[in-house]
Amino acid sequence: MNAPNFSSKVAFVALIVLAAAISATAKAAGTNDDGLCGMTPNELSECKPAVAAGSATPPPPTAACCASLKHADVPCFCSFKNNKYLPLFGIDASRAMQLPTKCDPNQSAHC
């Protein structure tokens, strides 16, 4: 059995450091095991189709998504506006910033 080569070890350590950095950034921006910025994982999932990256025209946010946004911490979400990792999770940040207005034309994300 061959021992892992040096580059494999470096790649593994880099992956661990990246995961720790993402976790620390997320904690600082208001995430916890219960969700993100005042929304539960189920509420976030309800909004994901409306903010999906890669689709030409995403569907409008559902009524459940809009109801969840009413108690969300929008300034907390603003901290993710320029996050380069959102596309890795299939999220288009500009679409996400449009959700408050799509749910309520009198509201905006004021970032």
Side-chain angles (χ1 to χ4, degrees):
M1 180 184 256
N2 292 337
N5 64 25
F6 182 73
S7 63
S8 295
K9 290 179 185 178
V10 170
F12 179 74
V13 170
L15 181 61
I16 296 299
V17 170
L18 178 61
I22 291 171
S23 176
T25 301
K27 293 287 183 193
T31 63
N32 58 39
D33 293 337
D34 298 327
L36 173 71
C37 299
M39 292 178 69
T40 68
N42 287 339
E43 292 170 331
L44 291 166
S45 293
E46 188 67 44
C47 292
K48 190 170 180 182
V51 300
S55 62
T57 306
T62 63
C65 171
C66 291
S68 299
L69 279 175
K70 289 182 181 183
H71 67 264
D73 181 353
V74 175
C76 173
F77 280 117
C78 288
S79 67
F80 289 95
K81 184 170 120 176
N82 297 316
N83 188 301
K84 62 184 176 185
Y85 298 109
L86 287 179
L88 297 175
F89 297 103
I91 298 170
D92 182 308
S94 64
R95 289 178 179 170
M97 293 297 107
Q98 296 169 8
L99 273 183
T101 304
K102 286 184 176 183
C103 287
D104 180 357
N106 298 319
Q107 184 179 342
S108 67
H110 298 300
C111 293

